[in-house]
Amino acid sequence: MRNVVAAGADIIHFDVMDNHYVPNLTIGPLVCQAIRPHVQVPIDVHLMVKPVDRIIPDFAKAGADIITFHPEASEHIDRTLQLIRDNGCKAGLVFNPGTPMHYLQHVMDKIDMILIMSVNPGFGGQSFIPEALKKIAIARRMIDESGRDILLEVDGGIKVDNIAAAAEAGADTFVAGSAIFGKPDYKAVIDAMRAELARTGR
Ligand code: ZN
């Protein structure tokens, strides 16, 4: 984690999978707590967990700065967003490739981040689903119309050769896992991504 921050990462994105909401099992609050003292950048916890409410205070205590969840994983979206904020974190909703965007309509005032999945959640190393670009554009319009300060993140299959397309669609925050960790030189990848973003003027 220290190496990737030294290489220029702005945020640590932390994927939590529960073998129930998604078919895989990853890491929990103890690992978040273990990482926290080693990085000064925000930790962005992406909960692929159902039910979701019980674990939120644990991640807040473990040092999360941002917590996002999937609307399908919460019985009461408004309450879950408020729970995250009450625990001192920024809150966001995550949209799978097949999840409609209407979940945002009545909760924009409680949203700090919108995360568009460009793969189906559950595994790293999948290929980018181009339909996600349309959803990024929809989310961009909703954010601009709201006039609120909301991050628009894209997660899944982001690489040097498609980060510009995601930015042009309106994303401003980019999750890259295997694109960075699969290469020996993290800085070379992050620099190449920044060069691509500079080319788009965003
Ligand atoms: Zn994620």
Side-chain angles (χ1 to χ4, degrees), residues 31-58:
V31 177
C32 183
Q33 193 182 337
I35 292 169
R36 184 69 280 177
H38 296 279
V39 295
Q40 304 304 313
V41 298
I43 298 179
D44 165 30
V45 173
H46 172 193
L47 294 178
M48 289 163 272
V49 169
K50 185 179 182 178
V52 66
D53 290 5
R54 220 289 303 147
I55 200 89
I56 284 168
D58 295 4

PDB file of all heavy atoms in Angstrom, residues 31-58:
ATOM      1  N   VAL A  31      -8.267  -5.783   8.232  1.00  0.00           N
ATOM      2  CA  VAL A  31      -7.263  -5.463   7.214  1.00  0.00           C
ATOM      3  C   VAL A  31      -7.260  -3.960   6.941  1.00  0.00           C
ATOM      4  O   VAL A  31      -6.205  -3.340   6.777  1.00  0.00           O
ATOM      5  CB  VAL A  31      -7.506  -6.287   5.928  1.00  0.00           C
ATOM      6  CG1 VAL A  31      -6.499  -5.898   4.843  1.00  0.00           C
ATOM      7  CG2 VAL A  31      -7.415  -7.778   6.227  1.00  0.00           C
ATOM      8  N   CYS A  32      -8.446  -3.356   6.946  1.00  0.00           N
ATOM      9  CA  CYS A  32      -8.541  -1.895   6.787  1.00  0.00           C
ATOM     10  C   CYS A  32      -7.779  -1.197   7.920  1.00  0.00           C
ATOM     11  O   CYS A  32      -6.985  -0.279   7.690  1.00  0.00           O
ATOM     12  CB  CYS A  32     -10.013  -1.493   6.781  1.00  0.00           C
ATOM     13  SG  CYS A  32     -10.309   0.251   6.508  1.00  0.00           S
ATOM     14  N   GLN A  33      -8.004  -1.679   9.126  1.00  0.00           N
ATOM     15  CA  GLN A  33      -7.327  -1.111  10.311  1.00  0.00           C
ATOM     16  C   GLN A  33      -5.807  -1.283  10.202  1.00  0.00           C
ATOM     17  O   GLN A  33      -5.045  -0.398  10.602  1.00  0.00           O
ATOM     18  CB  GLN A  33      -7.856  -1.844  11.546  1.00  0.00           C
ATOM     19  CG  GLN A  33      -7.503  -1.206  12.863  1.00  0.00           C
ATOM     20  CD  GLN A  33      -8.034  -2.052  14.033  1.00  0.00           C
ATOM     21  OE1 GLN A  33      -8.974  -2.834  13.893  1.00  0.00           O
ATOM     22  NE2 GLN A  33      -7.415  -1.888  15.174  1.00  0.00           N
ATOM     23  N   ALA A  34      -5.386  -2.414   9.650  1.00  0.00           N
ATOM     24  CA  ALA A  34      -3.944  -2.682   9.517  1.00  0.00           C
ATOM     25  C   ALA A  34      -3.292  -1.763   8.484  1.00  0.00           C
ATOM     26  O   ALA A  34      -2.147  -1.347   8.638  1.00  0.00           O
ATOM     27  CB  ALA A  34      -3.726  -4.146   9.130  1.00  0.00           C
ATOM     28  N   ILE A  35      -4.042  -1.419   7.426  1.00  0.00           N
ATOM     29  CA  ILE A  35      -3.511  -0.551   6.370  1.00  0.00           C
ATOM     30  C   ILE A  35      -3.466   0.911   6.834  1.00  0.00           C
ATOM     31  O   ILE A  35      -2.542   1.652   6.503  1.00  0.00           O
ATOM     32  CB  ILE A  35      -4.381  -0.671   5.089  1.00  0.00           C
ATOM     33  CG1 ILE A  35      -4.235  -2.055   4.461  1.00  0.00           C
ATOM     34  CG2 ILE A  35      -4.035   0.418   4.086  1.00  0.00           C
ATOM     35  CD1 ILE A  35      -5.254  -2.325   3.352  1.00  0.00           C
ATOM     36  N   ARG A  36      -4.474   1.295   7.616  1.00  0.00           N
ATOM     37  CA  ARG A  36      -4.685   2.719   7.963  1.00  0.00           C
ATOM     38  C   ARG A  36      -3.419   3.473   8.374  1.00  0.00           C
ATOM     39  O   ARG A  36      -3.161   4.566   7.863  1.00  0.00           O
ATOM     40  CB  ARG A  36      -5.769   2.809   9.044  1.00  0.00           C
ATOM     41  CG  ARG A  36      -6.196   4.200   9.479  1.00  0.00           C
ATOM     42  CD  ARG A  36      -6.952   4.991   8.444  1.00  0.00           C
ATOM     43  NE  ARG A  36      -6.105   5.619   7.429  1.00  0.00           N
ATOM     44  CZ  ARG A  36      -6.581   6.313   6.405  1.00  0.00           C
ATOM     45  NH1 ARG A  36      -7.877   6.447   6.226  1.00  0.00           N
ATOM     46  NH2 ARG A  36      -5.762   6.856   5.527  1.00  0.00           N
ATOM     47  N   PRO A  37      -2.585   2.948   9.304  1.00  0.00           N
ATOM     48  CA  PRO A  37      -1.410   3.742   9.706  1.00  0.00           C
ATOM     49  C   PRO A  37      -0.349   3.893   8.621  1.00  0.00           C
ATOM     50  O   PRO A  37       0.547   4.742   8.745  1.00  0.00           O
ATOM     51  CB  PRO A  37      -0.827   2.961  10.898  1.00  0.00           C
ATOM     52  CG  PRO A  37      -1.608   1.723  11.043  1.00  0.00           C
ATOM     53  CD  PRO A  37      -2.732   1.708  10.078  1.00  0.00           C
ATOM     54  N   HIS A  38      -0.445   3.126   7.548  1.00  0.00           N
ATOM     55  CA  HIS A  38       0.605   3.132   6.532  1.00  0.00           C
ATOM     56  C   HIS A  38       0.338   4.105   5.393  1.00  0.00           C
ATOM     57  O   HIS A  38       1.219   4.324   4.560  1.00  0.00           O
ATOM     58  CB  HIS A  38       0.781   1.714   5.957  1.00  0.00           C
ATOM     59  CG  HIS A  38       1.258   0.740   6.983  1.00  0.00           C
ATOM     60  ND1 HIS A  38       2.577   0.633   7.348  1.00  0.00           N
ATOM     61  CD2 HIS A  38       0.578  -0.131   7.765  1.00  0.00           C
ATOM     62  CE1 HIS A  38       2.696  -0.282   8.296  1.00  0.00           C
ATOM     63  NE2 HIS A  38       1.503  -0.761   8.571  1.00  0.00           N
ATOM     64  N   VAL A  39      -0.869   4.658   5.297  1.00  0.00           N
ATOM     65  CA  VAL A  39      -1.190   5.568   4.190  1.00  0.00           C
ATOM     66  C   VAL A  39      -1.924   6.802   4.718  1.00  0.00           C
ATOM     67  O   VAL A  39      -2.738   6.717   5.636  1.00  0.00           O
ATOM     68  CB  VAL A  39      -2.060   4.875   3.103  1.00  0.00           C
ATOM     69  CG1 VAL A  39      -1.275   3.753   2.428  1.00  0.00           C
ATOM     70  CG2 VAL A  39      -3.365   4.350   3.659  1.00  0.00           C
ATOM     71  N   GLN A  40      -1.613   7.955   4.120  1.00  0.00           N
ATOM     72  CA  GLN A  40      -2.280   9.205   4.489  1.00  0.00           C
ATOM     73  C   GLN A  40      -3.468   9.497   3.578  1.00  0.00           C
ATOM     74  O   GLN A  40      -4.285  10.353   3.892  1.00  0.00           O
ATOM     75  CB  GLN A  40      -1.294  10.388   4.402  1.00  0.00           C
ATOM     76  CG  GLN A  40      -0.036  10.198   5.236  1.00  0.00           C
ATOM     77  CD  GLN A  40      -0.345   9.922   6.693  1.00  0.00           C
ATOM     78  OE1 GLN A  40      -1.169  10.605   7.302  1.00  0.00           O
ATOM     79  NE2 GLN A  40       0.280   8.901   7.272  1.00  0.00           N
ATOM     80  N   VAL A  41      -3.557   8.801   2.449  1.00  0.00           N
ATOM     81  CA  VAL A  41      -4.631   9.054   1.481  1.00  0.00           C
ATOM     82  C   VAL A  41      -5.945   8.446   2.001  1.00  0.00           C
ATOM     83  O   VAL A  41      -5.926   7.577   2.881  1.00  0.00           O
ATOM     84  CB  VAL A  41      -4.298   8.454   0.100  1.00  0.00           C
ATOM     85  CG1 VAL A  41      -3.044   9.099  -0.481  1.00  0.00           C
ATOM     86  CG2 VAL A  41      -4.134   6.943   0.168  1.00  0.00           C
ATOM     87  N   PRO A  42      -7.097   8.910   1.477  1.00  0.00           N
ATOM     88  CA  PRO A  42      -8.378   8.316   1.896  1.00  0.00           C
ATOM     89  C   PRO A  42      -8.464   6.819   1.566  1.00  0.00           C
ATOM     90  O   PRO A  42      -7.934   6.373   0.538  1.00  0.00           O
ATOM     91  CB  PRO A  42      -9.413   9.094   1.080  1.00  0.00           C
ATOM     92  CG  PRO A  42      -8.743  10.367   0.691  1.00  0.00           C
ATOM     93  CD  PRO A  42      -7.294  10.033   0.531  1.00  0.00           C
ATOM     94  N   ILE A  43      -9.133   6.080   2.455  1.00  0.00           N
ATOM     95  CA  ILE A  43      -9.468   4.674   2.170  1.00  0.00           C
ATOM     96  C   ILE A  43     -10.953   4.637   1.798  1.00  0.00           C
ATOM     97  O   ILE A  43     -11.817   5.108   2.545  1.00  0.00           O
ATOM     98  CB  ILE A  43      -9.170   3.753   3.370  1.00  0.00           C
ATOM     99  CG1 ILE A  43      -7.664   3.767   3.694  1.00  0.00           C
ATOM    100  CG2 ILE A  43      -9.630   2.319   3.070  1.00  0.00           C
ATOM    101  CD1 ILE A  43      -7.266   2.894   4.880  1.00  0.00           C
ATOM    102  N   ASP A  44     -11.201   4.096   0.615  1.00  0.00           N
ATOM    103  CA  ASP A  44     -12.519   4.090  -0.029  1.00  0.00           C
ATOM    104  C   ASP A  44     -13.026   2.640   0.026  1.00  0.00           C
ATOM    105  O   ASP A  44     -12.572   1.804  -0.749  1.00  0.00           O
ATOM    106  CB  ASP A  44     -12.281   4.595  -1.465  1.00  0.00           C
ATOM    107  CG  ASP A  44     -13.424   4.353  -2.424  1.00  0.00           C
ATOM    108  OD1 ASP A  44     -14.580   4.323  -1.980  1.00  0.00           O
ATOM    109  OD2 ASP A  44     -13.135   4.222  -3.641  1.00  0.00           O
ATOM    110  N   VAL A  45     -13.921   2.369   0.980  1.00  0.00           N
ATOM    111  CA  VAL A  45     -14.368   0.990   1.220  1.00  0.00           C
ATOM    112  C   VAL A  45     -15.618   0.692   0.395  1.00  0.00           C
ATOM    113  O   VAL A  45     -16.655   1.337   0.571  1.00  0.00           O
ATOM    114  CB  VAL A  45     -14.637   0.763   2.723  1.00  0.00           C
ATOM    115  CG1 VAL A  45     -15.256  -0.612   2.959  1.00  0.00           C
ATOM    116  CG2 VAL A  45     -13.343   0.903   3.528  1.00  0.00           C
ATOM    117  N   HIS A  46     -15.486  -0.267  -0.505  1.00  0.00           N
ATOM    118  CA  HIS A  46     -16.579  -0.680  -1.401  1.00  0.00           C
ATOM    119  C   HIS A  46     -17.151  -1.978  -0.845  1.00  0.00           C
ATOM    120  O   HIS A  46     -16.537  -3.035  -0.961  1.00  0.00           O
ATOM    121  CB  HIS A  46     -15.994  -0.839  -2.804  1.00  0.00           C
ATOM    122  CG  HIS A  46     -16.915  -1.427  -3.809  1.00  0.00           C
ATOM    123  ND1 HIS A  46     -16.491  -1.886  -5.039  1.00  0.00           N
ATOM    124  CD2 HIS A  46     -18.257  -1.647  -3.790  1.00  0.00           C
ATOM    125  CE1 HIS A  46     -17.525  -2.354  -5.718  1.00  0.00           C
ATOM    126  NE2 HIS A  46     -18.605  -2.236  -4.978  1.00  0.00           N
ATOM    127  N   LEU A  47     -18.342  -1.877  -0.242  1.00  0.00           N
ATOM    128  CA  LEU A  47     -18.950  -3.030   0.427  1.00  0.00           C
ATOM    129  C   LEU A  47     -19.813  -3.817  -0.553  1.00  0.00           C
ATOM    130  O   LEU A  47     -20.855  -3.334  -1.003  1.00  0.00           O
ATOM    131  CB  LEU A  47     -19.802  -2.562   1.610  1.00  0.00           C
ATOM    132  CG  LEU A  47     -19.038  -1.912   2.766  1.00  0.00           C
ATOM    133  CD1 LEU A  47     -20.025  -1.444   3.841  1.00  0.00           C
ATOM    134  CD2 LEU A  47     -18.005  -2.854   3.368  1.00  0.00           C
ATOM    135  N   MET A  48     -19.372  -5.032  -0.872  1.00  0.00           N
ATOM    136  CA  MET A  48     -20.183  -5.969  -1.653  1.00  0.00           C
ATOM    137  C   MET A  48     -20.637  -7.027  -0.655  1.00  0.00           C
ATOM    138  O   MET A  48     -20.166  -8.168  -0.653  1.00  0.00           O
ATOM    139  CB  MET A  48     -19.337  -6.561  -2.795  1.00  0.00           C
ATOM    140  CG  MET A  48     -19.034  -5.542  -3.890  1.00  0.00           C
ATOM    141  SD  MET A  48     -17.673  -6.025  -4.975  1.00  0.00           S
ATOM    142  CE  MET A  48     -16.296  -5.339  -4.065  1.00  0.00           C
ATOM    143  N   VAL A  49     -21.545  -6.588   0.211  1.00  0.00           N
ATOM    144  CA  VAL A  49     -21.907  -7.313   1.417  1.00  0.00           C
ATOM    145  C   VAL A  49     -23.412  -7.160   1.635  1.00  0.00           C
ATOM    146  O   VAL A  49     -23.952  -6.078   1.446  1.00  0.00           O
ATOM    147  CB  VAL A  49     -21.146  -6.694   2.628  1.00  0.00           C
ATOM    148  CG1 VAL A  49     -21.665  -7.225   3.933  1.00  0.00           C
ATOM    149  CG2 VAL A  49     -19.643  -6.907   2.512  1.00  0.00           C
ATOM    150  N   LYS A  50     -24.078  -8.251   2.027  1.00  0.00           N
ATOM    151  CA  LYS A  50     -25.506  -8.193   2.321  1.00  0.00           C
ATOM    152  C   LYS A  50     -25.814  -9.108   3.509  1.00  0.00           C
ATOM    153  O   LYS A  50     -25.461 -10.290   3.447  1.00  0.00           O
ATOM    154  CB  LYS A  50     -26.294  -8.635   1.090  1.00  0.00           C
ATOM    155  CG  LYS A  50     -27.790  -8.495   1.240  1.00  0.00           C
ATOM    156  CD  LYS A  50     -28.488  -8.936  -0.034  1.00  0.00           C
ATOM    157  CE  LYS A  50     -29.995  -8.742   0.113  1.00  0.00           C
ATOM    158  NZ  LYS A  50     -30.703  -9.108  -1.106  1.00  0.00           N
ATOM    159  N   PRO A  51     -26.457  -8.627   4.561  1.00  0.00           N
ATOM    160  CA  PRO A  51     -26.868  -7.244   4.794  1.00  0.00           C
ATOM    161  C   PRO A  51     -25.658  -6.353   5.056  1.00  0.00           C
ATOM    162  O   PRO A  51     -24.595  -6.846   5.431  1.00  0.00           O
ATOM    163  CB  PRO A  51     -27.772  -7.342   6.022  1.00  0.00           C
ATOM    164  CG  PRO A  51     -27.277  -8.549   6.750  1.00  0.00           C
ATOM    165  CD  PRO A  51     -26.793  -9.505   5.698  1.00  0.00           C
ATOM    166  N   VAL A  52     -25.858  -5.048   4.888  1.00  0.00           N
ATOM    167  CA  VAL A  52     -24.714  -4.140   4.896  1.00  0.00           C
ATOM    168  C   VAL A  52     -24.613  -3.318   6.184  1.00  0.00           C
ATOM    169  O   VAL A  52     -23.520  -2.964   6.611  1.00  0.00           O
ATOM    170  CB  VAL A  52     -24.754  -3.231   3.640  1.00  0.00           C
ATOM    171  CG1 VAL A  52     -25.936  -2.292   3.659  1.00  0.00           C
ATOM    172  CG2 VAL A  52     -23.456  -2.474   3.460  1.00  0.00           C
ATOM    173  N   ASP A  53     -25.737  -3.005   6.829  1.00  0.00           N
ATOM    174  CA  ASP A  53     -25.704  -2.027   7.929  1.00  0.00           C
ATOM    175  C   ASP A  53     -24.804  -2.454   9.097  1.00  0.00           C
ATOM    176  O   ASP A  53     -24.092  -1.622   9.665  1.00  0.00           O
ATOM    177  CB  ASP A  53     -27.117  -1.759   8.466  1.00  0.00           C
ATOM    178  CG  ASP A  53     -27.976  -0.974   7.481  1.00  0.00           C
ATOM    179  OD1 ASP A  53     -27.517  -0.725   6.347  1.00  0.00           O
ATOM    180  OD2 ASP A  53     -29.100  -0.608   7.849  1.00  0.00           O
ATOM    181  N   ARG A  54     -24.851  -3.722   9.467  1.00  0.00           N
ATOM    182  CA  ARG A  54     -24.165  -4.195  10.673  1.00  0.00           C
ATOM    183  C   ARG A  54     -22.667  -3.898  10.623  1.00  0.00           C
ATOM    184  O   ARG A  54     -22.039  -3.587  11.643  1.00  0.00           O
ATOM    185  CB  ARG A  54     -24.409  -5.712  10.814  1.00  0.00           C
ATOM    186  CG  ARG A  54     -24.657  -6.220  12.197  1.00  0.00           C
ATOM    187  CD  ARG A  54     -23.426  -6.213  13.089  1.00  0.00           C
ATOM    188  NE  ARG A  54     -22.334  -6.979  12.532  1.00  0.00           N
ATOM    189  CZ  ARG A  54     -21.047  -6.678  12.697  1.00  0.00           C
ATOM    190  NH1 ARG A  54     -20.682  -5.622  13.390  1.00  0.00           N
ATOM    191  NH2 ARG A  54     -20.112  -7.414  12.140  1.00  0.00           N
ATOM    192  N   ILE A  55     -22.064  -3.985   9.437  1.00  0.00           N
ATOM    193  CA  ILE A  55     -20.599  -3.905   9.311  1.00  0.00           C
ATOM    194  C   ILE A  55     -20.109  -2.455   9.146  1.00  0.00           C
ATOM    195  O   ILE A  55     -18.917  -2.190   9.274  1.00  0.00           O
ATOM    196  CB  ILE A  55     -20.118  -4.799   8.136  1.00  0.00           C
ATOM    197  CG1 ILE A  55     -18.626  -5.162   8.257  1.00  0.00           C
ATOM    198  CG2 ILE A  55     -20.383  -4.177   6.785  1.00  0.00           C
ATOM    199  CD1 ILE A  55     -18.369  -6.408   9.026  1.00  0.00           C
ATOM    200  N   ILE A  56     -21.013  -1.517   8.886  1.00  0.00           N
ATOM    201  CA  ILE A  56     -20.596  -0.133   8.587  1.00  0.00           C
ATOM    202  C   ILE A  56     -19.845   0.524   9.754  1.00  0.00           C
ATOM    203  O   ILE A  56     -18.755   1.077   9.550  1.00  0.00           O
ATOM    204  CB  ILE A  56     -21.814   0.697   8.108  1.00  0.00           C
ATOM    205  CG1 ILE A  56     -22.125   0.289   6.667  1.00  0.00           C
ATOM    206  CG2 ILE A  56     -21.560   2.199   8.228  1.00  0.00           C
ATOM    207  CD1 ILE A  56     -23.451   0.806   6.148  1.00  0.00           C
ATOM    208  N   PRO A  57     -20.361   0.462  10.987  1.00  0.00           N
ATOM    209  CA  PRO A  57     -19.600   1.094  12.086  1.00  0.00           C
ATOM    210  C   PRO A  57     -18.211   0.481  12.268  1.00  0.00           C
ATOM    211  O   PRO A  57     -17.264   1.186  12.636  1.00  0.00           O
ATOM    212  CB  PRO A  57     -20.484   0.848  13.312  1.00  0.00           C
ATOM    213  CG  PRO A  57     -21.861   0.648  12.763  1.00  0.00           C
ATOM    214  CD  PRO A  57     -21.670  -0.041  11.452  1.00  0.00           C
ATOM    215  N   ASP A  58     -18.075  -0.815  11.992  1.00  0.00           N
ATOM    216  CA  ASP A  58     -16.768  -1.476  12.126  1.00  0.00           C
ATOM    217  C   ASP A  58     -15.749  -0.872  11.156  1.00  0.00           C
ATOM    218  O   ASP A  58     -14.588  -0.657  11.513  1.00  0.00           O
ATOM    219  CB  ASP A  58     -16.885  -2.984  11.848  1.00  0.00           C
ATOM    220  CG  ASP A  58     -17.742  -3.716  12.873  1.00  0.00           C
ATOM    221  OD1 ASP A  58     -18.301  -3.048  13.754  1.00  0.00           O
ATOM    222  OD2 ASP A  58     -17.846  -4.954  12.769  1.00  0.00           O
TER     223      ASP A  58
END
